[in-house]
Amino acid sequence: MNVLKFGGSSVANATTIENVIEIIKEQSREKALFVVVSAMGGITDLLLKAGEEASTNNENYKNTLAEIEKRHLDTVKALIPVINQSAIISKVKAQLNTLESLCEGVYLLSELSDKTAAVIASFGEMLSSYIITEAAKVKKLDITFKDSRDVIVKTDSTKIAIDYKETNTKILSFHKENTHRICLFPGFVAKTQDGEPTTLGRGGSDFTAAILAAAIDAEQLQIWTDVSGMYTANPKLVKQAKPVSHISYQEAMELSHFGAKVIYPPTIHPVLDKDIPIVIKNTFKPLDKGTAITRKVDQRQKPVTGITHIDNIAIISLEGSGMVGIPGFSKRLFEALFLDNINVILITQASSEHSICLAIESVDAEKAKSILDRTFEFEISKKKLNPVKIENEVAIIALVGDNMYHHQGLSGKMFSTLGKNNVNIRAIAQGASEKNISVVIEEKDIKKALNILHERFFEVKTKQLNLFITGVGNVGSKLLSQLEQQNKYLKEKLRLKIRVVGLSNSRKMAFDEKGIDLNSWEKFLVDGEPANAEQFFKTAQEMNLRNSIFVDNTANPDIAKIYKHYLAESMAVVTCNKIACADEYTNYEELQSLSRKFSASFLYETNVGAGLPIIDTLNNLIASGDNVHKIQAVLSGSLNFVFNNYKKGVTFHEIVKQAQQEGYTEPDPKIDLSGIDVARKILILARESGKVMELEDIENDSFLPQDCLDTTTVEDFLNSVKEHENHFGKILEDAEQKQCRLKYVAQYENGNAKVGLQHIPVDHPFYNLEGSDNIVLFYTDRYPKQPLIVKGAGAGADVTASGIFADIIRIGKK
């Protein structure tokens, strides 16, 4: 014989009830059944609402009762043929009239006792079980109804304590006399030893089914709900969560205690001693395998079975020297809470005994503080203890698994994974069995914490990166194109799932937590809100997504100033914007410090050489113990392009315009031609070499006339360049007479740096540098005469975007 229990979502309306009846019909062909049903979905809440409204003299309770009546009568009319409705509707209305009378009494007395609340709440199960029984009879099922209050006996109306001796006797007596193939029981309801109606607490229908299953030694207890078993995490919060096919009783108890709503925690105890398997099944997908709960499971399964959480938690903290070495202190604390029925969910205490921290339901927080402040009033008055502190808006996240104790380092993996994503751990608890590791975090971080832990412990090493990209011009648009093009490759080869969740240009910004479609990002951005760099950061912060990366494709100094805010929130920063790293040294060092402190990558490879691995090569040299003596470089692809193409018959103005149009220069070409851009690059390399240096320390020998340097707009600059063609022609003529080529060279040597236009002879490594290529010569202890050379394309939207892309991948692979 099997026992089946159907929850509120399974019997929410006529359609779902018909599904339930079909499942019962199919199962009854093979075995006799005891069936337990909950109230129709949402009805228990409405019943309690009506009681509360009545107790506060709120006449809206009548509207709430009318809603309850309508739902039940509509269900009867949809399930029962008209010819059979009259008697059933009369009985349903009789029960509803009794309910109304109870609420009227509560309204008149302005009082709702626990006993009355239990009676009011029980109407949901009594109504649903009666309606379902009658609907099953219409389908010709061999079914009878049995009131659970006739067989389940509690020892106390206020606590969930079952008199198993009397309960089992009553159940077995009924079972022996029952001649029907199916017997249907209302869940949740019971009676005390004095015959008073009571309940088994919220979720008590599971408990009803377990009590029945244990009493009759059922072959199996089936819990039918709206999900296909117990999941590795809450599927509403973690899309990648998967059903667990087989878990142990112990794991199920841990998961259900820590928030897994699929099964009510006390359910497992009655069937555990009898070794009765529990199977969690989906009413709406009855062919799904579900989850089997038994005593033993496959020892080869993953160490972590599931990740679960409890929200609406508060931390109660008690600190002070008056606790140290005092016997019985904990007894006084827990006894005080016990006497007022306050449940302690988690406990942690410092080994110094100077403090103790408790997690309880937030609704009990103020009450608990009052009780403990009163209990330890003397110690608090003598300053031996501090007054009790409450921290609200926290939650508990727990890793659960029978096999966890076989594996070292799980705690470290859990803590480091949370820390890297700026999830602060407020308290930690772990039993000696190591089957549960629980941490207290801020409630706002629940979704992020569940997802990053699920990604760490359950997914096939696939990491999801969430990008917030500002700047979608030449470089930004190329980056988006590359991300779209490589999407499949990244998933299959690198196990990276990259989503762009925020986009901004100078006019608009837009966000989508599910990921922006990169085939239509332009339209999506047009429909966005006005762009604002500060608000862009705040939205990214509020979205609070795991593995968040801010990508800056601009040359905007205002955006560079906000990097520190992202890093302080453990969001990585990837940028081709040189302004931050070339700012005052204190600001540069602050960004490096924040990156280390909050484990947030700060990558800017494209600051020097676009997609070339110049900074990475330099960092590797330094990290391996080499010392840099001299750096010589052509670092401006823009200037190299300009002077490689500046020849007789072509004006300097025409070449500058061409470089601008083809994306080799910054939007304002004066930044490149003035040498400030190259100065910033050599400054960054000097700093990466370990030198404390400011931008003004770099000697800049500009080839531009002062008139060009004094312009304030791009248009004025280009006009000024045209006016000084003779000046630029003279520079070209001087180089040709010496059989040299013009290159804008940056040099760092003996702690000094300079940039300027130089005549490069034919035997120099820079002479044959073509197009927009960059070249860097590193002279070090290991490369004293023949330098280490990095050479290649150093400008252009495509290569710059690919360099940014590479930095993003580098973060993903960490």
Side-chain angles (χ1 to χ4, degrees):
M1 186 171 195
N2 287 343
V3 176
L4 281 59
K5 177 264 174 177
F6 293 91
S9 59
S10 298
V11 295
N13 52 53
T15 302
T16 59
I17 289 172
E18 285 182 337
N19 289 338
V20 167
I21 292 172
E22 280 301 312
I23 292 168
I24 295 170
K25 182 179 178 180
E26 286 297 316
Q27 295 244 359
S28 66
R29 287 173 178 164
E30 296 183 10
K31 298 181 185 298
L33 304 176
F34 274 6
V35 178
V36 177
V37 296
S38 297
M40 294 170 64
I43 289 296
T44 302
D45 288 333
L46 288 173
L47 288 164
L48 294 173
K49 178 185 176 185
E52 287 294 331
E53 287 172 340
S55 69
T56 57
N57 294 120
N58 183 349
E59 291 199 0
N60 190 61
Y61 83 89
K62 295 177 182 178
N63 295 328
T64 305
L65 290 177
E67 183 180 349
I68 293 169
E69 178 176 347
K70 183 177 187 304
R71 280 194 62 187
H72 285 93
L73 293 181
D74 286 349
T75 302
V76 170
K77 291 170 184 176
L79 289 172
I80 309 296
V82 175
I83 194 170
N84 303 113
Q85 283 181 11
S86 180
I88 298 169
I89 288 175
S90 293
K91 189 161 183 178
V92 169
K93 282 190 171 182
Q95 291 194 54
L96 291 168
N97 288 339
T98 303
L99 171 63
E100 185 178 7
S101 297
L102 271 172
C103 289
E104 284 177 359
V106 170
Y107 179 84
L108 292 171
L109 293 172
S110 300
E111 181 183 344
L112 180 64
S113 67
D114 290 341
K115 188 186 297 184
T116 304
V119 173
I120 289 173
S122 70
F123 275 85
E125 275 71 17
M126 297 306 299
L127 286 164
S128 68
S129 57
Y130 171 69
I131 292 169
I132 294 168
T133 302
E134 295 303 316
K137 287 177 181 178
V138 170
K139 299 285 187 180
K140 307 300 181 184
L141 272 65
D142 181 15
I143 189 168
T144 188
F145 170 83
K146 182 64 177 176
D147 190 339
S148 301
R149 294 175 294 192
D150 294 339
V151 293
I152 297 179
V153 181
K154 282 175 61 176
T155 59
D156 190 310
S157 63
T158 60
K159 298 186 177 102
I160 304 172
I162 303 298
D163 183 338
Y164 282 103
K165 183 177 180 181
E166 185 176 353
T167 294
N168 290 343
T169 299
K170 287 178 177 288
I171 293 170
L172 287 171
S173 175
F174 167 76
H175 183 41
K176 185 177 180 180
E177 296 171 1
N178 176 45
T179 59
H180 294 273
R181 187 73 172 168
I182 307 161
C183 182
L184 194 141
F185 297 80
F188 182 59
V189 297
K191 279 188 179 178
T192 65
Q193 290 167 322
D194 298 329
E196 295 178 352
T198 186
T199 66
L200 300 178
R202 295 302 296 267
S205 294
D206 288 352
F207 198 18
T208 303
I211 293 167
L212 293 170
I216 63 172
D217 287 319
E219 293 178 44
Q220 192 177 85
L221 168 59
Q222 297 178 10
I223 306 292
W224 290 80
T225 180
D226 56 1
V227 291
S228 297
M230 299 190 85
Y231 278 66
T232 49
N234 186 338
K236 293 179 181 177
L237 298 177
V238 181
K239 288 183 179 180
Q240 289 77 25
K242 299 176 182 177
V244 182
S245 60
H246 194 184
I247 62 174
S248 70
Y249 291 126
Q250 188 70 33
E251 289 170 326
M253 282 191 284
E254 292 280 2
L255 288 168
S256 59
H257 173 71
F258 279 93
K261 302 293 192 288
V262 175
I263 191 167
Y264 181 53
T267 298
I268 298 161
H269 295 287
V271 297
L272 190 149
D273 291 337
K274 297 287 188 77
D275 269 349
I276 299 170
I278 303 173
V279 180
I280 313 295
K281 297 283 284 181
N282 190 336
T283 307
F284 309 104
K285 297 180 181 179
L287 297 180
D288 284 2
K289 186 176 180 181
T291 299
I293 305 172
T294 59
R295 186 174 296 278
K296 294 182 179 180
V297 296
D298 186 352
Q299 293 299 309
R300 294 171 297 177
Q301 72 179 34
K302 290 183 178 181
V304 179
T305 299
I307 306 168
T308 185
H309 76 284
I310 314 175
D311 50 15
N312 297 317
I313 295 295
I315 295 177
I316 299 289
S317 300
L318 198 58
E319 297 181 7
S321 59
M323 297 169 60
V324 180
I326 306 298
F329 185 89
S330 296
K331 175 183 178 295
R332 290 171 61 197
L333 189 155
F334 293 117
E335 187 174 57
L337 296 175
F338 165 76
L339 292 173
D340 270 275
N341 292 316
I342 294 176
N343 182 43
V344 177
I345 300 169
L346 179 145
I347 307 162
T348 180
Q349 183 174 17
S351 58
S352 65
E353 299 184 36
H354 186 265
S355 65
I356 189 165
C357 174
L358 312 173
I360 63 174
E361 292 185 29
S362 55
V363 293
D364 293 327
E366 292 296 336
K367 180 181 176 184
K369 173 175 169 56
S370 176
I371 292 165
L372 295 180
D373 280 342
R374 190 166 61 248
T375 300
F376 298 104
E377 183 177 6
F378 175 77
E379 288 87 348
I380 292 171
S381 68
K382 295 298 182 182
K383 309 291 185 184
K384 292 183 177 181
L385 290 180
N386 298 327
V388 172
K389 286 197 307 184
I390 300 174
E391 292 182 67
N392 285 305
E393 297 181 351
V394 296
I396 299 173
I397 297 276
L399 294 187
V400 173
D402 279 349
N403 290 332
M404 283 167 55
Y405 71 97
H406 288 306
H407 293 77
Q408 293 78 27
L410 287 177
S411 298
K413 290 177 184 177
M414 181 184 191
F415 302 152
S416 65
T417 300
L418 293 172
K420 285 177 182 176
N421 279 272
N422 202 34
V423 177
N424 186 35
I425 297 174
R426 314 296 291 276
I428 303 166
Q430 180 175 7
S433 68
E434 296 187 42
K435 293 183 179 182
N436 180 314
I437 306 171
S438 303
V439 297
V440 179
I441 64 173
E442 291 184 44
E443 201 165 60
K444 69 179 178 64
D445 290 327
I446 287 175
K447 185 175 181 180
K448 178 164 71 171
L450 287 172
N451 276 278
I452 57 177
L453 290 175
H454 194 274
E455 183 178 82
R456 182 67 180 82
F457 290 103
F458 289 102
E459 295 168 33
V460 190
K461 294 188 178 178
T462 298
K463 181 184 284 189
Q464 179 173 293
L465 306 180
N466 294 296
L467 306 187
F468 294 87
I469 298 177
T470 187
V472 289
N474 285 339
V475 174
S477 61
K478 294 291 185 182
L479 174 62
L480 293 171
S481 177
Q482 291 173 13
L483 288 169
E484 171 62 17
Q485 176 187 319
Q486 293 300 104
N487 181 50
K488 184 178 179 182
Y489 174 87
L490 293 173
K491 285 182 182 178
E492 293 179 356
K493 302 296 184 180
L494 300 184
R495 298 293 183 187
L496 290 176
K497 181 181 179 182
I498 299 181
R499 301 188 312 179
V500 177
V501 293
L503 271 181
S504 178
N505 58 20
S506 60
R507 299 175 301 281
K508 294 281 188 174
M509 62 182 188
F511 303 88
D512 187 345
E513 186 174 331
K514 296 178 182 178
I516 296 166
D517 184 351
L518 297 186
N519 289 311
S520 57
W521 64 265
E522 295 99 331
K523 182 179 184 305
F524 182 80
L525 188 55
V526 166
D527 296 333
E529 58 188 289
N532 180 288
E534 289 282 353
Q535 188 57 48
F536 192 81
F537 162 70
K538 289 177 182 177
T539 303
Q541 182 184 31
E542 289 164 5
M543 288 173 74
N544 201 19
L545 300 176
R546 68 191 188 279
N547 303 323
S548 291
I549 303 174
F550 173 64
V551 181
D552 179 13
N553 300 314
T554 75
N556 189 322
D558 293 330
I559 293 174
K561 291 176 183 177
I562 304 175
Y563 293 174
K564 60 184 179 182
H565 301 314
Y566 287 98
L567 294 171
E569 290 293 324
S570 292
M571 295 186 208
V573 173
V574 172
T575 179
C576 60
N577 186 344
K578 290 172 281 292
I579 292 174
C581 288
D583 199 1
E584 292 182 8
Y585 186 83
T586 53
N587 295 333
Y588 165 83
E589 183 54 36
E590 181 186 19
L591 295 177
Q592 304 295 339
S593 176
L594 288 169
S595 174
R596 293 188 294 269
K597 180 178 179 181
F598 294 100
S599 299
S601 296
F602 176 39
L603 300 182
Y604 40 89
E605 183 66 70
T606 49
N607 277 196
V608 182
L612 294 176
I614 295 172
I615 293 175
D616 189 51
T617 300
L618 176 56
N619 287 337
N620 288 336
L621 288 171
I622 301 297
S624 66
D626 205 352
N627 293 304
V628 176
H629 302 301
K630 179 179 177 181
I631 301 172
Q632 277 188 314
V634 174
L635 292 174
S636 174
S638 315
L639 285 167
N640 205 37
F641 176 89
V642 167
F643 286 109
N644 280 339
N645 289 280
Y646 184 37
K647 300 169 184 175
K648 286 184 178 179
V650 182
T651 67
F652 192 72
H653 173 267
E654 288 171 340
I655 295 300
V656 171
K657 283 287 290 182
Q658 183 184 350
Q660 182 192 37
Q661 289 165 0
E662 293 185 20
Y664 289 118
T665 70
E666 298 287 351
D668 180 357
K670 186 171 74 171
I671 295 174
D672 296 284
L673 271 64
S674 67
I676 188 65
D677 188 61
V678 177
R680 284 173 177 156
K681 290 176 181 179
I682 197 65
L683 172 64
I684 291 168
L685 292 182
R687 286 175 172 179
E688 295 294 304
S689 302
K691 176 68 176 177
V692 177
M693 182 178 280
E694 301 291 354
L695 188 60
E696 54 265 29
D697 296 331
I698 297 172
E699 181 185 342
N700 186 351
D701 184 13
S702 178
F703 66 89
L704 290 177
Q706 191 62 42
D707 287 349
C708 294
L709 291 171
D710 290 340
T711 58
T712 56
T713 68
V714 173
E715 184 181 359
D716 287 346
F717 173 74
L718 291 173
N719 288 334
S720 181
V721 166
K722 185 183 294 186
E723 291 171 3
H724 288 85
E725 181 60 37
N726 289 337
H727 168 81
F728 300 116
K730 182 69 169 60
I731 292 173
L732 178 63
E733 184 180 341
D734 289 346
E736 288 178 343
Q737 286 178 356
K738 296 176 182 178
Q739 296 184 334
C740 292
R741 299 184 75 176
L742 291 168
K743 302 292 178 186
Y744 201 87
V745 178
Q747 182 166 306
Y748 168 71
E749 186 176 13
N750 299 324
N752 298 310
K754 63 181 180 178
V755 296
L757 197 61
Q758 293 186 15
H759 293 159
I760 303 298
V762 70
D763 59 346
H764 195 282
F766 293 171
Y767 186 85
N768 291 314
L769 200 64
E770 298 296 336
S772 61
D773 283 1
N774 280 190
I775 186 169
V776 181
L777 311 182
F778 290 111
Y779 293 87
T780 71
D781 287 348
R782 295 175 191 153
Y783 301 91
K785 293 183 180 180
Q786 294 296 324
L788 174 62
I789 300 175
V790 180
K791 178 181 177 182
D798 268 323
V799 292
T800 304
S802 69
I804 293 169
F805 199 146
D807 276 347
I808 292 169
I809 299 305
R810 191 175 288 119
I811 293 171
K813 293 171 71 175
K814 281 184 68 176

